[in-house]
Every structure is written in structure tokens, then in C-alpha cells.
């Protein structure tokens, strides 16, 4: 095996959770060792080793002839100073690659196979191509329930785990999570302060948005720091009884964040991967009790009640075997929840609910209270059915707002006032008289993303009409907000082709909604 020693150079390129190495085309190592672009190499320095994908460059301003460049991700992992000597060799394939090939062929994988794959993924031994192959294979050949169980176990084992036994003394450590797919729906930012104000421990960690215009971490990031190191997260939860943090920097289920980096551009979120992702993060965060929100609707992730029941049973199967008490709630997913879609607009809605503002969206308030009530009923001192009333009293009294402010301060409050929505706007108007009979969640989410959300926090959509609202021709249905002209043009163009709203007769409303908006 050819081993070459070169001087390391930090290349300021964000390769988003992939180790990338750079060699100049005229480097003698490239020719002598037969390195080719996109081949996998092993880099060693000061007793540490990483695997990386090789890029070959022609510009000496990026990497000189006798230098080995590393991307930001790779440089952070190797952990040595710029200019340090390092060796580079051809890398051996990950030990789990044979198991990956079997899954690509449609075979069922056992516990050891999945643990080996996830261990290799967590240690950055898989390239983006290999990660994509795993994500697609587990989506194409759906994982059975035991494969999902083993995948979840493996994702937990690959990272750190929080233990709150000393804080709760055998009591519940609670959390609430939604499977996603509904724009707005920022209930976690209300449930956590309500539950923490009740005195229950709620260490909420979330991923950033995968295919949506905002995740809980993206939205909380407008108000406070969410990239919290492990030790700081623990200290914040001990101080405030809750947190709203991004799970990536806490090293909880690290393989999940790597997989999400591939799932996001592919827009893949299969049931097995969803269950493993959610439950591994919750168990790694030390939760013992979880309320799970499964929205159902024609443009939600889950389209029918039978599909919702199947997904609920899969969650329950895995959770039970991993010692997590789960309360899965099937909710109405036929339209966005709240008025804002995008981080800043969603923060506005959340704060209005916490402040008991007259313009607070009632659907967001009511759903958050229902879910918070279910979480509070995990408290052994609370009688079944009393949770909603307790949650409402905490919110109405201002205790939830006070607790939210305490959590924001502990995590690191962002300076200055809440930024306004982005200034470039476009109003989407009703083309005829009638009532709003349908809202396409997917279309609204896509328009908001084209407007710039979540990367541009101030971008998104402000919904002015919801299901069942009467409208006259020319009434504004929603307003698009964008910061950049290109984003504004793309979002406006998509909304012009199909704005995602349907206006018709009251008789066209879904039967449950016409009967009073019952949750399915």
C-alpha cells in the first residue's frame, strides 16, 4: 500500500457532513498512487484517522502541489493544526458494505448488519453516494418492524445518551414530537414551556427542516442559540426543566443527522427511517414518555386513516421494546396550523399564543393545549382528563410565557427585537366567490421554501384564510415574503401556476369539517 506524507491545508468549503480531501492534479502522489477523483482515501495525522472522498483540483490557489486540502468537516474531525503533516492512502471499503449491497438487492438485514452499517455511518466511513444508496434501498425495500427496531437500537448505540434519573428520581422524562409535513404547526414551542412550568422534565431536541419550510430548531434559532454542546444542554434542562435545542451538536443519534443530510435533497422520509430517526433521538435524550402527533390529510405525510393506524402500530411496537411509553395521537392534517409558515412568521404566532394576544391563531393554541394536556397526564399525580385544564391554566396565567423566556435566556437570547417578515411581498388572491374548501400543504410548503425559508428566516408565507372561511373574488388568501428578488420571482411564479387553495361551495367542504372540525 502506497503511503504519502503531505502538508495539511484547511480549505474553507462546507461539504455538509461529508469528509472531502483535495489534491492538486500535478501532485506526485496522485500519479504514483493512482488516486482518482471521487475515490475514497484514508488520512492520518497525529494518531487520528478519517476517511474522505477525494477531489482533484487544478488551481494552486486552492491547494498547492505538495499540499493535502481538507474540507471544514474533515478538518474538524482530524483535529490538528493547519500545516501539520499527514499521510494519505487508499481506503479499504467499510466493513458493512456487503450488508449494504444485500439491502440494495432487497434482502432483509439482521441486527448485526444494521449495527455495523450505522456504526460506519456515524464514524463518517460512508460517502454521500453510499449513504444515498442506503437511504434509497431502505425506502424501496421497506424495512420490516424488526429491522426498524434494530435500526433504532443501532442509531441510539452510535451516540451519547442523557440520563435524568438523578433529576426525576424515577419520575417521567417527557417529550412531544410531530412526524412533520404540516406547515406551521409549531406546537412544540408551546408544549415545552407549558409542561416545564408544570414541573415536568422535557429535554426537547429537534432536527432542522428536512423537506419543510421550518423545523422546531430553525424556528427556535430565531429567538435563541440552539446548537448547544452536550454539557450545556444538560445544565439548561437542570435549570429550567426544559429546552428547545438542535440535536446535532449534542451528539445524540449522530448517524441520524448524517442520514438527514441525504434524505433532505432526495425528499425521502420512509416510515422505517422516520420511526428510527424520531425514537432514537427521544431515547438518546433520556425521554421515558412521548406524545407523538400523527397528522392525517390529503396532502400530509400520512394520507389515510389506515396508513395512520399502521404507522402508529409500528411506532408502538418499537417504542414498547425499547422501554419508551408512547401516546400516539392521530390529528387533523388537512391544512397548515397557525398563520405563519417560515421561522420568523412561526415565531410570531408562538409568541402571540404565549402572550395571550388577541390575534393569536386559535388552531395553534388549541392543538398545543390538547397535546400539552396529554403530556401532563403522564404525571402520576394528574387524573386522566385533567391535563387540558391544567395546560390552559398555565398558559392563561402567563407561567408558560415566563418559562419560555427563562429557556430562551438560558440557551442564549438573540439580541434585538424579533425581525420583521422579509420585505418583498406578493399577495395571492381568490379568483371567485365562495369558501375555502381545500389547502394543499405540500404546495404551500414548496412556495415558502422557494421564497427562501428556512435558510432565510424572515421568508415564508402569511396565511390570511383557512378552511371554511368565506371569501369574495379578489380577497387575499395569503402573502408571500422573500428577501431576495430571485426567491420572490420563483415563489410568485409557482403560486401563480397553482396557489394551493381551492375555493368552492360550502357543500364541498370535507364532511368532518362541515360538522364542526372534528379531528379524524
Amino acid at each position: 500500500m502506497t503511503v504519502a506524507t503531505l502538508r495539511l491545508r484547511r480549505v474553507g468549503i462546507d461539504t455538509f457532513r461529508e469528509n472531502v480531501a483535495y489534491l492538486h492534479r500535478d501532485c506526485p502522489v496522485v500519479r504514483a498512487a493512482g488516486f482518482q477523483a471521487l475515490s475514497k482515501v484514508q488520512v492520518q495525522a497525529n494518531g487520528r484517522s478519517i476517511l474522505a472522498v477525494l477531489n482533484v483540483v487544478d488551481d494552486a490557489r486552492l491547494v498547492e502541489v505538495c499540499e493535502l486540502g481538507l474540507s471544514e468537516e474533515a478538518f474538524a474531525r482530524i483535529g490538528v493544526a493547519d500545516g501539520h503533516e499527514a499521510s494519505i492512502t487508499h481506503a479499504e471499503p467499510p466493513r458493512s458494505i456487503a450488508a449494504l449491497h444485500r439491502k440494495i438487492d432487497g434482502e432483509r438485514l439482521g441486527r448485526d448488519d444494521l449495527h455495523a452499517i450505522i456504526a460506519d455511518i456515524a464514524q463518517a466511513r460512508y460517502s454521500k453516494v453510499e449513504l444515498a444508496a442506503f437511504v434509497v434501498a431502505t425506502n424501496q425495500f421497506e424495512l420490516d418492524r424488526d429491522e426498524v427496531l434494530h435500526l433504532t437500537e443501532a442509531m441510539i448505540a452510535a451516540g451519547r445518551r442523557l440520563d435524568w434519573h438523578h433529576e426525576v428520581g424515577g419520575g417521567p422524562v417527557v417529550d412531544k414530537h410531530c412526524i412533520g409535513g404540516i406547515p406551521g404547526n409549531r406546537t412544540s414551542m408551546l408544549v415545552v414551556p407549558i409542561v416545564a412550568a408544570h414541573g415536568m422534565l422535557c429535554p426537547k431536541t429537534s432536527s432542522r427542516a428536512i423537506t419543510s419550510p421550518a423545523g422546531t430548531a430553525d424556528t427556535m434559532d430565531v429567538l435563541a442559540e440552539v446548537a448547544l454542546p452536550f454539557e450545556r444542554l444538560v445544565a439548561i434542562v437542570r435549570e429550567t426543566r426544559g429546552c428547545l435545542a438542535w440535536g446535532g451538536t449534542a451528539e445524540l443519534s449522530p448517524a441520524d443527522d448524517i442520514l438527514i443530510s441525504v434524505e433532505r435533497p432526495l425528499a425521502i422520509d420512509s416510515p422505517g427511517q422516520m420511526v428510527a430517526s424520531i425514537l432514537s433521538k427521544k431515547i438518546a435524550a433520556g425521554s421515558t414518555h412521548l406524545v407523538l402527533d400523527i397528522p392525517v390529510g390529503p396532502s400530509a405525510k400520512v394520507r389515510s386513516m389506515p396508513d395512520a393506524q399502521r404507522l402508529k402500530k409500528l411506532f408502538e411496537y418499537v417504542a414498547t421494546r425499547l422501554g419508551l411509553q408512547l401516546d400516539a395521537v392521530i390529528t387533523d392534517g388537512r391544512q397548515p396550523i397557525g398563520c405563519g409558515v417560515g421561522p420568523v412568521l412561526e415565531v410570531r404566532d408562538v409568541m402571540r399564543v404565549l402572550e395571550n394576544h388577541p390575534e393569536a391563531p386559535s388552531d395553534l393554541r388549541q392543538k398545543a393545549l390538547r397535546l400539552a394536556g396529554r403530556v401532563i397526564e403522564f404525571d402520576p399525580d394528574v387524573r386522566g382528563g385533567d391535563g387540558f385544564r391544567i395546560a390552559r391554566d398555565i398558559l392563561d396565567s402567563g407561567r408558560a410565557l415566563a418559562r419560555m423566556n427563562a429557556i430562551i435566556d438560558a440557551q442564549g437570547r438573540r439580541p434585538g427585537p424579533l425581525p420583521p417578515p422579509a420585505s418583498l411581498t406578493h399577495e395571492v388572491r381568490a379568483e371567485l366567490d365562495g369558501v375555502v374548501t381545500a389547502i394543499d400543504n405540500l404546495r404551500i410548503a414548496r412556495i415558502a421554501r422557494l421564497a427562501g425559508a428556512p435558510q432565510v428566516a424572515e421568508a415564508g408565507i402569511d396565511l390570511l384564510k383557512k378552511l371554511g372561511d368565506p371569501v369574495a373574488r379578489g380577497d387575499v388568501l395569503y402573502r408571500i415574503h422573500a428577501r431576495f428578488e430571485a426567491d420572490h420571482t420563483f415563489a410568485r411564479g409557482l403560486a401563480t401556476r397553482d396557489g394551493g387553495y381551492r375555493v368552492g361551495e360550502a357543500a364541498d367542504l370535507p364532511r368532518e369539517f362541515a360538522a364542526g372540525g372534528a379531528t379524524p
Side-chain angles (χ1 to χ4, degrees):
M1 178 183 292
T2 301
V3 179
T5 300
L6 298 167
R7 186 175 68 255
L8 278 181
R9 180 169 181 173
R10 180 176 183 173
V11 178
I13 296 178
D14 180 1
T15 51
F16 196 56
R17 297 192 173 275
E18 182 175 32
N19 295 334
V20 178
Y22 304 89
L23 285 177
H24 196 282
R25 191 179 302 277
D26 294 332
C27 178
V29 173
V30 175
R31 295 171 179 168
F35 288 122
Q36 294 182 342
L38 299 185
S39 60
K40 196 178 292 184
V41 296
Q42 182 172 348
V43 179
Q44 292 181 301
N46 199 30
R48 303 188 69 172
S49 173
I50 62 169
L51 298 185
V53 173
L54 179 64
N55 283 194
V56 176
V57 303
D58 295 304
D59 190 341
R61 291 172 298 179
L62 187 65
V63 177
E64 293 183 4
V65 171
C66 291
E67 288 182 327
L68 169 60
L70 292 180
S71 65
E72 293 286 1
E73 181 81 14
F75 205 87
R77 281 183 174 269
I78 200 73
V80 297
D82 204 13
H84 198 284
E85 284 196 343
S87 65
I88 180 170
T89 61
H90 287 283
E92 295 294 326
R95 286 178 293 179
S96 65
I97 204 73
L100 171 61
H101 289 162
R102 294 204 307 276
K103 194 61 191 177
I104 292 171
D105 290 336
E107 292 185 25
R108 180 186 180 280
L109 297 183
R111 183 180 185 277
D112 291 344
D113 293 328
L114 287 163
H115 275 255
I117 288 173
I118 294 301
D120 280 340
I121 289 173
Q123 294 169 34
R125 293 177 181 148
Y126 271 35
S127 68
K128 282 284 174 70
V129 172
E130 291 160 337
L131 288 169
F134 178 70
V135 167
V136 172
T138 54
N139 182 62
Q140 182 72 21
F141 302 104
E142 189 170 327
L143 301 172
D144 67 29
R145 64 182 192 174
D146 285 320
E147 283 181 298
V148 177
L149 172 61
H150 299 324
L151 178 61
T152 309
E153 290 174 334
M155 290 170 73
I156 296 167
R160 303 179 73 171
R161 290 188 69 170
L162 293 167
D163 183 357
W164 304 105
H165 180 77
H166 179 72
E167 283 74 19
V168 297
V173 179
V174 300
D175 204 344
K176 169 266 161 193
H177 193 89
C178 177
I179 67 166
I182 306 299
N185 201 31
R186 207 49 57 214
T187 54
S188 291
M189 292 180 67
L190 297 166
V191 172
V192 170
I194 291 171
V195 170
H198 178 66
M200 303 178 82
L201 205 72
C202 189
K204 173 69 176 171
T205 61
S206 303
S207 300
R208 293 192 181 273
I210 300 176
T211 57
S212 69
T216 297
D218 302 296
T219 305
M220 185 64 179
D221 201 14
V222 174
L223 297 172
E225 178 62 55
V226 296
L228 305 174
F230 188 88
E231 292 76 13
R232 188 173 167 208
L233 186 149
V234 171
I236 288 167
V237 174
R238 285 174 175 161
E239 176 188 347
T240 67
R241 308 295 289 177
C243 69
L244 286 153
W246 176 48
T249 47
E251 301 175 50
L252 306 175
S253 189
D256 182 47
D257 294 300
I258 296 171
L259 289 169
I260 285 172
S261 73
V262 173
E263 292 167 359
R264 179 185 287 114
L266 292 175
I268 288 177
D269 197 9
S270 67
Q273 292 164 351
M274 180 195 303
V275 171
S277 171
I278 292 171
L279 295 187
S280 67
K281 281 280 177 67
K282 300 308 161 188
I283 293 171
S287 296
T288 60
H289 295 66
L290 173 67
V291 168
L292 182 71
D293 176 13
I294 304 177
V296 179
S299 57
K301 281 186 181 179
V302 180
R303 305 293 175 87
S304 69
M305 188 59 69
D307 286 345
Q309 293 292 355
R310 279 193 291 272
L311 183 61
K312 178 180 178 180
K313 289 178 181 177
L314 180 57
F315 268 107
E316 290 171 341
Y317 177 85
V318 176
T320 298
R321 279 150 186 79
L322 294 177
L324 178 68
Q325 186 169 328
L326 179 71
D327 179 11
V329 185
I330 298 174
T331 61
D332 189 343
R334 290 171 293 166
Q335 64 175 331
I337 300 295
C339 300
V341 180
V344 164
L345 290 159
E346 292 176 22
V347 164
R348 177 204 63 189
D349 286 356
V350 167
M351 296 312 295
R352 283 179 174 176
V353 173
L354 288 169
E355 293 164 356
N356 294 301
H357 191 283
E359 295 181 25
S362 60
D363 58 345
L364 178 61
R365 172 187 163 93
Q366 289 301 111
K367 183 172 183 179
L369 287 175
R370 287 197 300 271
L371 294 171
R374 302 286 283 254
V375 176
I376 288 171
E377 287 176 13
F378 285 138
D379 183 344
D381 294 328
V382 173
R383 290 186 305 174
D386 284 351
F388 181 89
R389 176 187 56 78
I390 294 170
R392 185 187 58 207
D393 290 346
I394 291 171
L395 180 61
D396 291 345
S397 68
R399 284 186 287 151
L401 175 61
R403 186 55 57 105
M404 182 62 155
N405 280 321
I407 292 171
I408 292 170
D409 288 335
Q411 291 187 199
R413 183 182 294 271
R414 300 293 185 198
L418 180 68
S423 58
L424 296 177
T425 63
H426 173 71
E427 292 179 340
V428 176
R429 298 176 180 272
E431 296 180 353
L432 45 87
D433 299 340
V435 299
V436 177
T437 58
I439 303 176
D440 187 332
N441 289 313
L442 293 172
R443 177 66 56 157
I444 293 298
R446 189 174 177 209
I447 293 169
R449 286 183 69 88
L450 284 178
Q455 287 78 12
V456 179
E458 306 97 305
I461 288 175
D462 202 4
L463 304 171
L464 304 181
K465 300 293 183 181
K466 304 295 281 291
L467 277 178
D469 285 349
V471 296
R473 182 179 180 182
D475 282 355
V476 179
L477 300 173
Y478 60 86
R479 186 176 297 111
I480 299 169
H481 290 269
R483 183 199 295 172
F484 301 108
E485 190 62 49
D487 294 341
H488 181 256
T489 299
F490 286 133
R492 185 181 63 207
L494 182 59
T496 300
R497 291 193 295 274
D498 180 357
Y501 269 61
R502 299 291 177 266
V503 175
E505 303 294 330
D508 297 330
L509 281 167
R511 185 157 47 91
E512 303 95 320
F513 187 84
T519 298

